[in-house]
Amino acid sequence: MKTCIVVSGGDAPGINTAIDSFARLARQNGDHALGAQGGFAGLLDDQLVELDCSLVSLLAGRGGSILPSSRRPALQDPKARERLSEVMRRRGIDNLLLFGGDGTIRHVAPLLARWGIAYIVLPTTIDNDVAGADYTLGHDSACNFALGVVNGIRATAHALPGRIFLLETLGAPTGHLALAIAYASGADLALLPEYPLGLDWLCERLTEIVARQGLALVVLSEAYPDIDRLVEEIPRRNGIRLRYTALGHAQRGADVSHWDRCVARDMSRVAWRAFKHGIGSGTVLWREGAALLHQGSLTSELKPPPDRRQFEFINQL
Ligand code: F6P
């Protein structure tokens, strides 16, 4: 069996672990795994590489992806189907192992299914916003990265009281990532795009919190409306110094947590077994604490919004 690994869309911590895991299984069982350089655009251009196993295992715990991805919608090209079949036939590729988030599952997977190309998707995004999945690979590592930063912010916040700290996480367009970080870090407020709060209320609450405990920690999603205005208006209205930190892309490139390494290895094992059983298409979903193969479309499923009760608990609403 020959599998080509394609990273389609944004990277997430754990992709390297899963590549390492899948490549190992292939090697141990006399199969062959190779990788596309530059997502589907690279695959269509025949940019394929043999996996350097010692390098892959060396980088298994690092964020990012040893196989570069691409945001170019290469499969929308009218010649894409023909080109893909040609590359796969010439290279003797039986199936594709895909890493990607919601976009890959909603747009790429149905196309491949229609074209009769065997594929399995491993949902990978720090955002944890894939419909049908309780958990997506990379989310835990991105949360842990943020918790390390919160430790630093709390240290300086205690040493020099009287400030408000706003910590912006990635995760757009949803607030799942910000909520998970706010809860685990004991933040005073969580600001999510799904449940915007009034500026007057926010200023009043922050004044109260700083008066009571000397500091306020607010975790907010990058998709929260008009963040620049918050940063300007809050200190102007309540006269308290506000300090703002954006985690940015360093969060997405976080080292891989223990949990994500386990999830990555479970997911790749499920994918490899499915290919060996001749299963033509599917998505490995993390559901109820285990990796399961889901066959069929996920396009009609919707991811529920972030847990409203947890949001209300954090914000004491
Ligand atoms: O979907 C994953 C994600 O990291 C989001 O959290 C973030 O908004 C986006 O990708 C950033 O994308 P890019 O790397 O293209 O800037």
Side-chain angles (χ1 to χ4, degrees):
M1 178 177 82
K2 197 176 202 178
T3 302
C4 181
I5 302 176
V6 187
V7 182
S8 156
D11 54 276
I15 289 181
N16 285 334
T17 322
I19 294 176
D20 173 53
S21 211
F22 192 91
R24 249 170 225 254
L25 280 165
R27 220 169 41 246
Q28 287 160 0
N29 292 279
D31 296 321
H32 189 176
L34 73 172
Q37 294 264 39
F40 276 100
L43 177 55
L44 295 187
D45 283 347
D46 203 23
Q47 299 293 313
L48 304 183
V49 285
E50 293 298 327
L51 297 171
D52 174 343
C53 292
S54 56
L55 186 64
V56 174
S57 62
L58 189 68
L59 296 179
R62 302 302 299 269
S65 165
I66 192 167
L67 294 171
S69 177
S70 162
R71 292 260 198 228
R72 219 175 91 197
L75 295 183
Q76 281 170 21
D77 188 293
K79 294 230 165 80
R81 180 181 187 171
E82 192 189 313
R83 184 85 191 115
L84 182 58
S85 309
E86 191 273 316
V87 172
M88 287 181 70
R89 196 171 44 246
R90 185 164 38 77
R91 293 281 198 157
I93 296 166
D94 299 299
N95 45 44
L96 304 177
L97 178 68
L98 308 182
F99 291 94
D102 209 48
T104 303
I105 291 167
R106 281 186 194 283
H107 307 297
V108 175
L111 207 58
L112 296 177
R114 233 180 307 133
W115 293 352
I117 304 239
Y119 73 88
I120 288 181
V121 187
L122 303 195
T124 42
T125 166
I126 61 170
D127 305 346
N128 200 19
D129 62 352
V130 166
D134 295 345
Y135 182 77
T136 55
L137 185 61
H139 178 71
D140 185 60
S141 307
C143 288
N144 281 350
F145 179 88
L147 294 181
V149 173
V150 168
N151 288 345
I153 289 176
R154 284 201 183 280
T156 175
H158 277 280
L160 182 58
R163 291 175 291 173
I164 296 166
F165 290 87
L166 235 63
L167 178 66
E168 182 193 302
T169 75
L170 289 184
T174 64
H176 293 281
L177 183 62
L179 182 65
I181 293 163
Y183 185 65
S185 64
D188 300 298
L189 291 171
L191 302 183
L192 314 181
E194 293 83 354
Y195 312 122
L197 296 165
L199 186 59
D200 291 341
W201 180 89
L202 208 55
C203 289
E204 245 174 66
R205 178 59 69 84
L206 285 167
T207 306
E208 231 174 80
I209 294 170
V210 174
R212 191 172 66 239
Q213 61 188 38
L215 67 101
L217 174 66
V218 183
V219 173
L220 84 164
S221 161
E222 63 172 340
Y224 195 77
D226 218 348
I227 296 176
D228 289 346
R229 178 153 177 259
L230 288 188
V231 173
E232 216 176 274
E233 277 295 304
I234 295 169
R236 201 182 61 77
R237 291 195 190 189
N238 62 12
I240 302 172
R241 284 190 296 165
L242 182 146
R243 296 294 179 254
Y244 171 73
T245 306
L247 295 173
H249 287 72
Q251 181 178 28
R252 199 165 88 192
D255 281 345
V256 192
S257 68
H258 168 265
W259 175 247
D260 276 332
R261 292 184 198 212
C262 295
V263 171
R265 293 194 187 278
D266 283 359
M267 283 182 158
S268 37
R269 201 173 58 239
V270 170
W272 181 80
R273 279 202 191 133
F275 282 146
K276 290 302 269 185
H277 283 99
I279 292 172
S281 62
T283 306
V284 179
L285 294 178
W286 190 265
R287 269 188 187 164
E288 294 175 11
L292 306 164
L293 185 77
H294 174 88
Q295 289 180 264
S297 167
L298 282 163
T299 48
S300 56
E301 302 233 6
L302 286 177
K303 176 85 180 176
D307 185 339
R308 173 110 209 175
R309 277 194 299 185
Q310 198 174 46
F311 165 78
E312 287 176 356
F313 172 77
I314 296 168
N315 290 325
Q316 297 180 337
L317 294 171

